[in-house]
PDB file of all heavy atoms in Angstrom:
ATOM      1  N   LEU A  23      -2.110   0.219  11.645  1.00 84.00           N
ATOM      2  CA  LEU A  23      -3.217  -0.547  11.076  1.00 84.00           C
ATOM      3  C   LEU A  23      -4.090  -1.046  12.217  1.00 84.00           C
ATOM      4  O   LEU A  23      -3.592  -1.675  13.155  1.00 84.00           O
ATOM      5  CB  LEU A  23      -2.702  -1.733  10.260  1.00 84.00           C
ATOM      6  CG  LEU A  23      -1.738  -1.396   9.110  1.00 84.00           C
ATOM      7  CD1 LEU A  23      -1.180  -2.670   8.513  1.00 84.00           C
ATOM      8  CD2 LEU A  23      -2.443  -0.576   8.063  1.00 84.00           C
ATOM      9  N   GLU A  24      -5.375  -0.732  12.154  1.00 81.00           N
ATOM     10  CA  GLU A  24      -6.298  -1.203  13.186  1.00 81.00           C
ATOM     11  C   GLU A  24      -7.086  -2.392  12.672  1.00 81.00           C
ATOM     12  O   GLU A  24      -7.527  -2.407  11.530  1.00 81.00           O
ATOM     13  CB  GLU A  24      -7.259  -0.084  13.601  1.00 81.00           C
ATOM     14  CG  GLU A  24      -6.629   0.927  14.493  1.00 81.00           C
ATOM     15  CD  GLU A  24      -7.636   1.882  15.098  1.00 81.00           C
ATOM     16  OE1 GLU A  24      -8.852   1.627  15.022  1.00 81.00           O
ATOM     17  OE2 GLU A  24      -7.194   2.901  15.652  1.00 81.00           O
ATOM     18  N   MET A  25      -7.232  -3.350  13.539  1.00 78.00           N
ATOM     19  CA  MET A  25      -7.984  -4.547  13.195  1.00 78.00           C
ATOM     20  C   MET A  25      -9.296  -4.533  13.982  1.00 78.00           C
ATOM     21  O   MET A  25      -9.637  -3.526  14.595  1.00 78.00           O
ATOM     22  CB  MET A  25      -7.134  -5.774  13.498  1.00 78.00           C
ATOM     23  CG  MET A  25      -5.884  -5.833  12.616  1.00 78.00           C
ATOM     24  SD  MET A  25      -4.772  -7.134  13.077  1.00 78.00           S
ATOM     25  CE  MET A  25      -3.526  -6.221  13.958  1.00 78.00           C
ATOM     26  N   GLY A  26      -9.979  -5.613  14.019  1.00 70.00           N
ATOM     27  CA  GLY A  26     -11.282  -5.692  14.675  1.00 70.00           C
ATOM     28  C   GLY A  26     -11.205  -5.546  16.189  1.00 70.00           C
ATOM     29  O   GLY A  26     -10.141  -5.392  16.780  1.00 70.00           O
ATOM     30  N   ASN A  27     -12.369  -5.614  16.793  1.00 68.00           N
ATOM     31  CA  ASN A  27     -12.507  -5.491  18.236  1.00 68.00           C
ATOM     32  C   ASN A  27     -11.683  -6.582  18.930  1.00 68.00           C
ATOM     33  O   ASN A  27     -11.716  -7.743  18.557  1.00 68.00           O
ATOM     34  CB  ASN A  27     -13.992  -5.628  18.611  1.00 68.00           C
ATOM     35  CG  ASN A  27     -14.246  -5.260  20.053  1.00 68.00           C
ATOM     36  OD1 ASN A  27     -13.343  -5.220  20.873  1.00 68.00           O
ATOM     37  ND2 ASN A  27     -15.505  -4.996  20.355  1.00 68.00           N
ATOM     38  N   VAL A  28     -10.920  -6.176  19.950  1.00 66.00           N
ATOM     39  CA  VAL A  28     -10.043  -7.107  20.652  1.00 66.00           C
ATOM     40  C   VAL A  28     -10.838  -8.232  21.302  1.00 66.00           C
ATOM     41  O   VAL A  28     -10.387  -9.368  21.378  1.00 66.00           O
ATOM     42  CB  VAL A  28      -9.201  -6.356  21.712  1.00 66.00           C
ATOM     43  CG1 VAL A  28      -8.416  -7.328  22.582  1.00 66.00           C
ATOM     44  CG2 VAL A  28      -8.248  -5.396  21.039  1.00 66.00           C
ATOM     45  N   LYS A  29     -12.045  -7.959  21.731  1.00 65.00           N
ATOM     46  CA  LYS A  29     -12.855  -8.977  22.402  1.00 65.00           C
ATOM     47  C   LYS A  29     -13.155 -10.155  21.476  1.00 65.00           C
ATOM     48  O   LYS A  29     -13.275 -11.283  21.913  1.00 65.00           O
ATOM     49  CB  LYS A  29     -14.168  -8.373  22.890  1.00 65.00           C
ATOM     50  CG  LYS A  29     -13.981  -7.329  23.967  1.00 65.00           C
ATOM     51  CD  LYS A  29     -15.314  -6.685  24.314  1.00 65.00           C
ATOM     52  CE  LYS A  29     -15.100  -5.487  25.204  1.00 65.00           C
ATOM     53  NZ  LYS A  29     -16.315  -4.717  25.389  1.00 65.00           N
ATOM     54  N   SER A  30     -13.248  -9.870  20.186  1.00 61.00           N
ATOM     55  CA  SER A  30     -13.623 -10.931  19.267  1.00 61.00           C
ATOM     56  C   SER A  30     -12.471 -11.394  18.381  1.00 61.00           C
ATOM     57  O   SER A  30     -12.664 -12.241  17.539  1.00 61.00           O
ATOM     58  CB  SER A  30     -14.775 -10.461  18.380  1.00 61.00           C
ATOM     59  OG  SER A  30     -14.357  -9.358  17.596  1.00 61.00           O
ATOM     60  N   MET A  31     -11.275 -10.844  18.560  1.00 60.00           N
ATOM     61  CA  MET A  31     -10.182 -11.201  17.671  1.00 60.00           C
ATOM     62  C   MET A  31      -8.886 -11.317  18.472  1.00 60.00           C
ATOM     63  O   MET A  31      -8.596 -10.477  19.308  1.00 60.00           O
ATOM     64  CB  MET A  31     -10.027 -10.128  16.597  1.00 60.00           C
ATOM     65  CG  MET A  31      -8.843 -10.324  15.674  1.00 60.00           C
ATOM     66  SD  MET A  31      -8.686  -8.966  14.527  1.00 60.00           S
ATOM     67  CE  MET A  31      -9.675  -9.574  13.199  1.00 60.00           C
ATOM     68  N   VAL A  32      -8.116 -12.335  18.199  1.00 60.00           N
ATOM     69  CA  VAL A  32      -6.811 -12.518  18.822  1.00 60.00           C
ATOM     70  C   VAL A  32      -5.812 -12.768  17.704  1.00 60.00           C
ATOM     71  O   VAL A  32      -6.017 -13.650  16.864  1.00 60.00           O
ATOM     72  CB  VAL A  32      -6.813 -13.709  19.812  1.00 60.00           C
ATOM     73  CG1 VAL A  32      -5.423 -13.946  20.371  1.00 60.00           C
ATOM     74  CG2 VAL A  32      -7.808 -13.469  20.926  1.00 60.00           C
ATOM     75  N   TYR A  33      -4.743 -11.985  17.678  1.00 60.00           N
ATOM     76  CA  TYR A  33      -3.723 -12.138  16.643  1.00 60.00           C
ATOM     77  C   TYR A  33      -2.616 -13.040  17.175  1.00 60.00           C
ATOM     78  O   TYR A  33      -2.096 -12.830  18.260  1.00 60.00           O
ATOM     79  CB  TYR A  33      -3.136 -10.789  16.237  1.00 60.00           C
ATOM     80  CG  TYR A  33      -1.977 -10.936  15.287  1.00 60.00           C
ATOM     81  CD1 TYR A  33      -2.201 -11.231  13.945  1.00 60.00           C
ATOM     82  CD2 TYR A  33      -0.671 -10.823  15.727  1.00 60.00           C
ATOM     83  CE1 TYR A  33      -1.154 -11.395  13.074  1.00 60.00           C
ATOM     84  CE2 TYR A  33       0.388 -10.982  14.859  1.00 60.00           C
ATOM     85  CZ  TYR A  33       0.137 -11.263  13.532  1.00 60.00           C
ATOM     86  OH  TYR A  33       1.176 -11.432  12.668  1.00 60.00           O
ATOM     87  N   THR A  34      -2.255 -14.005  16.395  1.00 66.00           N
ATOM     88  CA  THR A  34      -1.144 -14.886  16.724  1.00 66.00           C
ATOM     89  C   THR A  34      -0.188 -14.870  15.535  1.00 66.00           C
ATOM     90  O   THR A  34      -0.592 -15.140  14.401  1.00 66.00           O
ATOM     91  CB  THR A  34      -1.629 -16.329  16.961  1.00 66.00           C
ATOM     92  OG1 THR A  34      -2.637 -16.306  17.962  1.00 66.00           O
ATOM     93  CG2 THR A  34      -0.484 -17.216  17.393  1.00 66.00           C
ATOM     94  N   ALA A  35       1.061 -14.524  15.800  1.00 62.00           N
ATOM     95  CA  ALA A  35       2.056 -14.471  14.726  1.00 62.00           C
ATOM     96  C   ALA A  35       2.317 -15.871  14.197  1.00 62.00           C
ATOM     97  O   ALA A  35       2.374 -16.819  14.974  1.00 62.00           O
ATOM     98  CB  ALA A  35       3.344 -13.860  15.244  1.00 62.00           C
ATOM     99  N   PRO A  36       2.462 -16.001  12.877  1.00 63.00           N
ATOM    100  CA  PRO A  36       2.775 -17.317  12.322  1.00 63.00           C
ATOM    101  C   PRO A  36       4.120 -17.814  12.842  1.00 63.00           C
ATOM    102  O   PRO A  36       5.077 -17.062  12.906  1.00 63.00           O
ATOM    103  CB  PRO A  36       2.838 -17.065  10.816  1.00 63.00           C
ATOM    104  CG  PRO A  36       2.209 -15.738  10.596  1.00 63.00           C
ATOM    105  CD  PRO A  36       2.305 -14.982  11.863  1.00 63.00           C
ATOM    106  N   LYS A  37       4.171 -19.042  13.230  1.00 71.00           N
ATOM    107  CA  LYS A  37       5.392 -19.596  13.811  1.00 71.00           C
ATOM    108  C   LYS A  37       6.487 -19.779  12.761  1.00 71.00           C
ATOM    109  O   LYS A  37       7.660 -19.762  13.078  1.00 71.00           O
ATOM    110  CB  LYS A  37       5.078 -20.922  14.492  1.00 71.00           C
ATOM    111  CG  LYS A  37       4.179 -20.773  15.688  1.00 71.00           C
ATOM    112  CD  LYS A  37       4.051 -22.088  16.415  1.00 71.00           C
ATOM    113  CE  LYS A  37       3.088 -22.116  17.539  1.00 71.00           C
ATOM    114  NZ  LYS A  37       2.707 -21.020  18.256  1.00 71.00           N
ATOM    115  N   HIS A  38       6.127 -19.947  11.525  1.00 68.00           N
ATOM    116  CA  HIS A  38       7.109 -20.180  10.473  1.00 68.00           C
ATOM    117  C   HIS A  38       7.693 -18.890   9.909  1.00 68.00           C
ATOM    118  O   HIS A  38       8.536 -18.923   9.037  1.00 68.00           O
ATOM    119  CB  HIS A  38       6.482 -21.003   9.342  1.00 68.00           C
ATOM    120  CG  HIS A  38       5.384 -20.269   8.646  1.00 68.00           C
ATOM    121  ND1 HIS A  38       4.104 -20.218   9.142  1.00 68.00           N
ATOM    122  CD2 HIS A  38       5.383 -19.545   7.500  1.00 68.00           C
ATOM    123  CE1 HIS A  38       3.358 -19.491   8.322  1.00 68.00           C
ATOM    124  NE2 HIS A  38       4.114 -19.079   7.323  1.00 68.00           N
ATOM    125  N   GLN A  39       7.249 -17.730  10.380  1.00 68.00           N
ATOM    126  CA  GLN A  39       7.668 -16.462   9.806  1.00 68.00           C
ATOM    127  C   GLN A  39       8.508 -15.686  10.810  1.00 68.00           C
ATOM    128  O   GLN A  39       8.006 -15.187  11.814  1.00 68.00           O
ATOM    129  CB  GLN A  39       6.438 -15.646   9.395  1.00 68.00           C
ATOM    130  CG  GLN A  39       6.768 -14.452   8.569  1.00 68.00           C
ATOM    131  CD  GLN A  39       5.504 -13.796   8.044  1.00 68.00           C
ATOM    132  OE1 GLN A  39       4.397 -14.223   8.333  1.00 68.00           O
ATOM    133  NE2 GLN A  39       5.675 -12.752   7.266  1.00 68.00           N
ATOM    134  N   ASP A  40       9.814 -15.567  10.536  1.00 72.00           N
ATOM    135  CA  ASP A  40      10.711 -14.816  11.403  1.00 72.00           C
ATOM    136  C   ASP A  40      10.683 -13.320  11.094  1.00 72.00           C
ATOM    137  O   ASP A  40      10.924 -12.490  11.958  1.00 72.00           O
ATOM    138  CB  ASP A  40      12.150 -15.317  11.259  1.00 72.00           C
ATOM    139  CG  ASP A  40      12.300 -16.743  11.766  1.00 72.00           C
ATOM    140  OD1 ASP A  40      11.518 -17.138  12.650  1.00 72.00           O
ATOM    141  OD2 ASP A  40      13.185 -17.456  11.267  1.00 72.00           O
ATOM    142  N   VAL A  41      10.395 -12.959   9.853  1.00 73.00           N
ATOM    143  CA  VAL A  41      10.405 -11.564   9.421  1.00 73.00           C
ATOM    144  C   VAL A  41       8.970 -11.119   9.186  1.00 73.00           C
ATOM    145  O   VAL A  41       8.251 -11.713   8.377  1.00 73.00           O
ATOM    146  CB  VAL A  41      11.243 -11.392   8.129  1.00 73.00           C
ATOM    147  CG1 VAL A  41      11.213  -9.955   7.665  1.00 73.00           C
ATOM    148  CG2 VAL A  41      12.673 -11.847   8.368  1.00 73.00           C
ATOM    149  N   LEU A  42       8.552 -10.073   9.897  1.00 70.00           N
ATOM    150  CA  LEU A  42       7.182  -9.590   9.748  1.00 70.00           C
ATOM    151  C   LEU A  42       7.039  -8.554   8.637  1.00 70.00           C
ATOM    152  O   LEU A  42       5.998  -8.450   8.013  1.00 70.00           O
ATOM    153  CB  LEU A  42       6.700  -8.986  11.061  1.00 70.00           C
ATOM    154  CG  LEU A  42       6.599  -9.951  12.236  1.00 70.00           C
ATOM    155  CD1 LEU A  42       6.243  -9.200  13.495  1.00 70.00           C
ATOM    156  CD2 LEU A  42       5.582 -11.034  11.948  1.00 70.00           C
ATOM    157  N   VAL A  43       8.094  -7.746   8.426  1.00 73.00           N
ATOM    158  CA  VAL A  43       8.039  -6.673   7.437  1.00 73.00           C
ATOM    159  C   VAL A  43       9.374  -6.601   6.718  1.00 73.00           C
ATOM    160  O   VAL A  43      10.426  -6.736   7.345  1.00 73.00           O
ATOM    161  CB  VAL A  43       7.770  -5.313   8.124  1.00 73.00           C
ATOM    162  CG1 VAL A  43       7.829  -4.191   7.128  1.00 73.00           C
ATOM    163  CG2 VAL A  43       6.451  -5.315   8.842  1.00 73.00           C
TER     164      VAL A  43
END
Side-chain angles (χ1 to χ4, degrees):
L23 303 173
E24 284 190 13
M25 295 173 258
N27 191 342
V28 172
K29 295 175 190 171
S30 63
M31 175 184 270
V32 176
Y33 174 77
T34 305
K37 294 187 186 335
H38 65 278
Q39 191 172 2
D40 294 333
V41 178
L42 296 174
V43 175

